[in-house]
């Protein structure tokens, strides 16, 4: 890993983000770029009477990074749309991981726009004792290896609802002329379950392949809560899939830190 991009929106969270980010960068042997984005409302520096000051904030952030042995970190202070700035920075210099603080309605939008791995910090933990990986990929090899950089204790959860339902043309037809092909669907589910079980056995992982009682996002959050996990990992193909389509809501509702990795992260 060559570089991680730390994205911050609040002066009050900057110290915690630096501490967590430096710990992660040291573990991954990565360089750091710290990007502070002034968006939504003014995050005044030091007290409410003083206006936002780019130079003063830049000096403050450089000082925080120097205190943690990262004098060489690049620090950027920008104003405007977070997703635009993150995209622009990643186009200028690629990163293997974006570590970002949580800002309601902003962080989820950034994640949706960019396909690199993200670590969304809500608790600002520096290490995790256990994680739950919710996945729609029966053999999520790349994401598993990536997640092992953060914790060795990982359980897999595969909700059956992420498997697309096959349709067949009905000889009689309903309103749309299609019906669910139950036989094919059951075969697909069985194949997915066998693949997942094989993958979990090969990697010594606990895995669950089941149908939850609620919506996909609720099922994932419920299992994470029941397992008492400290890190929730979301492994999906892209934002158009069943799991990909609920990532934003999970980000907004989860109470743990969240590691996001789409297929092809390596």
């Amino acid at each position: 890993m060559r570089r991680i991009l730390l994205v911050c929106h609040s002066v009050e969270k900057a110290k915690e983000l630096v501490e967590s980010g430096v710990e992660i960068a040291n573990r991954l042997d990565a360089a750091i770029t710290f990007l502070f984005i002034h968006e939504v409302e003014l995050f005044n520096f030091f007290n409410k009477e003083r206006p936002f000051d780019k130079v003063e904030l830049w000096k403050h952030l450089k000082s925080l990074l120097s205190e943690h042995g990262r004098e060489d970190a690049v620090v950027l202070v920008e104003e405007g749309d977070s997703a635009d700035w993150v995209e622009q920075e990643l186009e200028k210099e690629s990163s293997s991981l974006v570590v970002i603080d949580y800002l309601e309605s902003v962080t989820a939008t950034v994640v949706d726009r960019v396909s690199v791995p993200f670590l969304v910090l809500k608790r600002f933990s520096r290490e995790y004792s256990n994680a739950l990986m919710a996945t729609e990929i029966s053999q999520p090899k790349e994401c598993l290896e990536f997640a092992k950089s953060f914790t060795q204790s990982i359980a897999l959860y595969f909700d059956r609802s992420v498997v697309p339902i096959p349709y067949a043309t009905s000889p009689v037809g309903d309103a749309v002329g299609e019906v669910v092909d139950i036989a094919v669907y059951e075969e697909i589910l069985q194949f997915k379950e066998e693949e997942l079980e094989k993958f979990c056995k090969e990697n010594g992982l606990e895995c669950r392949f089941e149908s939850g009682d609620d919506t996909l996002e609720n099922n994932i959050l419920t299992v994470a809560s029941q397992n008492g996990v400290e890190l929730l990992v979301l492994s999906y193909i892209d934002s158009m899939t069943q799991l990909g389509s609920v990532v934003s809501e999970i980000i907004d509702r989860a109470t743990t830190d969240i590691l996001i990795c789409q297929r092809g992260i390596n």
Side-chain angles (χ1 to χ4, degrees):
M1 179 173 288
R2 295 176 299 171
R3 183 184 80 143
I4 66 171
L5 178 63
L6 306 183
V7 181
C8 184
H9 296 91
S10 168
V11 174
E12 289 74 21
K13 294 179 181 178
K15 186 174 186 297
E16 288 181 297
L17 186 62
V18 166
E19 291 173 348
S20 297
V22 168
E23 174 71 24
I24 294 167
N26 290 344
R27 191 185 317 144
L28 301 176
D29 191 24
I32 292 175
T33 294
F34 192 104
L35 173 61
F36 186 98
I37 304 172
H38 182 82
E39 188 185 357
V40 182
E41 61 183 6
L42 294 179
F43 294 104
N44 291 326
F45 187 59
F46 290 136
N47 60 61
K48 295 181 179 180
E49 288 71 33
R50 298 184 64 175
F52 175 75
D53 187 319
K54 277 190 175 184
V55 175
E56 192 172 11
L57 180 54
W58 184 89
K59 291 178 179 177
H60 175 63
L61 297 174
K62 284 293 286 186
S63 176
L64 286 176
L65 287 157
S66 294
E67 289 173 10
H68 290 81
R70 286 290 180 151
E71 297 85 356
D72 59 344
V74 175
V75 175
L76 306 170
V77 179
E78 306 292 355
E79 296 183 66
D81 182 78
S82 293
D84 286 345
W85 279 115
V86 172
E87 277 189 322
Q88 181 174 310
E89 181 56 28
L90 292 176
E91 287 176 4
K92 184 173 65 176
E93 186 175 359
S94 62
S95 294
S96 299
L97 174 68
V98 176
V99 180
I100 187 170
D101 60 355
Y102 174 72
L103 184 62
E104 185 178 359
S105 78
V106 171
T107 301
T109 300
V110 177
V111 171
D112 188 56
R113 288 261 297 270
V114 181
S115 60
V116 301
F118 273 84
L119 179 62
V120 180
L121 297 180
K122 286 195 167 184
R123 293 188 175 180
F124 292 89
S125 300
R126 299 189 196 180
E127 55 184 36
Y128 308 95
S129 60
N130 63 333
L132 175 73
M133 179 187 293
T135 183
E136 62 187 9
I137 303 168
S138 342
Q139 298 185 342
K141 299 176 183 177
E142 296 89 352
C143 191
L144 176 63
E145 290 306 310
F146 194 71
K148 285 180 179 178
S149 301
F150 301 88
T151 177
Q152 291 298 311
S153 178
I154 304 171
L156 263 62
Y157 174 74
F158 193 114
D159 195 294
R160 291 160 64 103
S161 67
V162 304
V163 179
I165 299 174
Y167 289 90
T169 302
S170 169
V172 177
D174 51 18
V176 295
E178 292 182 328
V179 294
V180 177
D181 192 326
I182 299 297
V184 173
Y185 186 49
E186 290 298 329
E187 288 179 5
I188 294 173
L189 289 176
Q190 182 178 351
F191 175 73
K192 292 288 186 182
E193 183 172 12
E194 290 173 353
E195 273 197 322
L196 185 70
E197 288 179 348
K198 178 183 178 183
F199 179 76
C200 290
K201 184 176 180 180
E202 290 174 347
N203 291 277
L205 303 174
E206 173 192 343
C207 67
R208 296 171 62 171
F209 183 90
E210 58 189 47
S211 296
D213 299 325
D214 208 329
T215 60
L216 176 58
E217 61 272 22
N218 284 343
N219 291 339
I220 291 171
L221 292 170
T222 296
V223 173
S225 177
Q226 290 173 343
N227 287 18
V229 300
E230 297 174 348
L231 178 67
L232 176 59
V233 184
L234 302 178
S235 171
Y236 59 104
I237 298 171
D238 58 49
S239 60
M240 302 300 291
T241 60
Q242 287 290 97
L243 179 53
S245 67
V246 299
V247 166
S248 293
E249 184 168 353
I250 292 174
I251 290 173
D252 286 333
R253 293 176 53 194
T255 58
T256 63
D257 292 348
I258 310 156
L259 180 64
I260 312 248
C261 48
Q262 294 188 40
R263 170 170 280 175
I265 62 170
N266 62 341

